[in-house]
Amino acid sequence: MMFRPRVLKIEPNRVRVSKRDESFELTLESGTELEARRLLLATGVIDELPAIAGLQELWGVSTLHCPYCHGWEVQDELIALYGKGQVGFYLCVLLKGWSDDLVLCTDGPAYYAMSTLGDIEANDV
């Protein structure tokens, strides 16, 4: 087999993969054989949303899940953060660089150490 510089996206049900010295050999369900220097497996992610009315309808539209992926898009806007416990605090710290207008939603009582509460209040969250 010969290497051709390209990216190939395949979605077979079953694949057999064998590691060779400097490559991977793939045999697809159809019997087609491929060889690759690199192999990337993308198996997908399923988001488990909290039971908050309306969240499902807004997911991916105005409700975003990753500040690294979407933080820049909402810079300098009002951002409501959902996070329980330390996760909420870490989101505040992370997104403070994108917006000065943050609201932390903790889904009930939030128990923070006094030093953490001081940091949240000092940053006007």
Side-chain angles (χ1 to χ4, degrees), residues 16-123:
R16 188 178 75 231
V17 179
S18 303
K19 176 72 172 115
R20 302 291 181 224
D21 289 333
E22 295 183 22
S23 66
F24 295 93
E25 185 176 287
L26 293 81
T27 304
L28 307 184
E29 185 176 35
S30 65
T32 302
E33 293 184 350
L34 302 169
E35 188 172 356
R37 288 182 288 218
R38 291 186 175 77
L39 180 63
L40 173 66
L41 301 176
T43 59
V45 173
I46 297 174
D47 294 310
E48 295 180 18
L49 302 179
I52 298 174
L55 183 60
Q56 181 71 43
E57 294 78 18
L58 297 173
W59 195 246
V61 179
S62 61
T63 304
L64 309 169
H65 69 286
C66 177
Y68 294 107
C69 299
H70 305 290
W72 188 256
E73 297 167 18
V74 295
Q75 68 174 331
D76 300 324
E77 294 183 24
L78 169 63
I79 301 174
L81 310 169
Y82 174 81
K84 296 180 179 182
Q86 287 301 111
V87 171
F89 172 68
Y90 293 134
L91 283 171
C92 290
V93 172
L94 181 65
L95 288 175
K96 192 63 180 172
W98 278 291
S99 176
D100 286 328
D101 202 356
L102 302 176
V103 175
L104 176 58
C105 305
T106 60
D107 198 11
Y111 302 101
Y112 292 107
M114 291 305 291
S115 60
T116 302
L117 282 175
D119 289 340
I120 291 173
E121 291 172 1
N123 285 290

